[in-house]
Amino acid sequence: QELVWSVLTDYDRLHKFLPDLESSELIQRNNGEEGSGDQKVILKQIASCMLLKEPVAKLRAELLLELEERSMLTGNMLCFKMLEGDFKSFEGRWRVETIPGDNGCLVYYEVDLTPVPHDLTAGMITYLTKTIVPKNLMALRKEAEKRAVSSG
């Protein structure tokens, strides 16, 4: 679980292994409430992807995100919300939880985004969600496995 968390919070390198992320830059990091172990992060990201299998239309989005890293009994949570960017709203969270009695972990991703009116249709959002999210989860897993092999 710690390895997956370290990959997920490797903010300046996320674009090197997440396929639709052009850049990811850590702008600021602050400690949360005293004694909590929580961290607040400001992150600038640029993402782009094809809207269709054929390179007909490309979606590009710039986001300034506020993230909060939280420690939980069962693992860690990373909550995020857009401060500025190309959507009307964009927020969600990642959870990385330990599987009791197992060497692995479970990764959950939740996102709630509202496009700027007339930019994207509901069908496009559904398509993007069903293609990009699984692709990014697999890329996260692959990077964690790669780091496990190189450190082990």
Side-chain angles (χ1 to χ4, degrees), residues 105-146:
C105 66
L106 296 172
V107 177
Y108 301 90
Y109 177 72
E110 298 172 39
V111 65
D112 183 19
L113 72 93
T114 305
V116 174
H118 310 297
D119 277 3
L120 295 172
T121 66
M124 289 176 179
I125 294 290
T126 301
Y127 169 78
L128 291 171
T129 306
K130 288 184 175 182
T131 57
I132 292 174
V133 172
K135 191 166 47 169
N136 284 340
L137 288 170
M138 288 305 297
L140 180 68
R141 178 182 180 169
K142 186 176 177 182
E143 180 66 17
E145 289 171 344
K146 180 175 132 186

Side-chain angles (χ1 to χ4, degrees), residues 39-136:
Q39 299 275 316
K40 289 207 178 211
V41 173
I42 305 293
L43 186 65
K44 182 178 182 180
Q45 293 185 327
I46 300 174
S48 67
C49 66
M50 295 299 165
L51 290 177
L52 304 170
K53 291 183 182 178
E54 300 297 321
V56 175
K58 187 174 186 177
L59 172 68
R60 188 169 191 274
E62 293 189 34
L63 303 169
L64 185 65
L65 300 167
E66 179 183 66
L67 298 89
E68 186 175 349
E69 300 174 3
R70 297 180 187 163
S71 298
M72 306 180 318
L73 290 175
T74 57
N76 295 302
M77 184 164 41
L78 181 63
C79 299
F80 59 89
K81 68 179 176 183
M82 183 183 75
L83 299 175
E84 297 175 11
D86 293 330
F87 295 104
K88 188 172 181 180
S89 69
F90 181 84
E91 63 183 13
R93 66 182 172 206
W94 291 86
R95 282 191 345 246
V96 181
E97 295 185 2
T98 304
I99 301 172
D102 191 294
N103 189 358
C105 66
L106 296 172
V107 177
Y108 301 90
Y109 177 72
E110 298 172 39
V111 65
D112 183 19
L113 72 93
T114 305
V116 174
H118 310 297
D119 277 3
L120 295 172
T121 66
M124 289 176 179
I125 294 290
T126 301
Y127 169 78
L128 291 171
T129 306
K130 288 184 175 182
T131 57
I132 292 174
V133 172
K135 191 166 47 169
N136 284 340

Side-chain angles (χ1 to χ4, degrees), residues 12-19 21-24 143 146:
D12 286 325
R13 293 182 31 84
L14 289 173
H15 65 284
K16 296 188 183 290
F17 55 86
L18 292 178
L21 200 55
E22 286 183 17
S23 67
S24 181
E143 180 66 17
K146 180 175 132 186

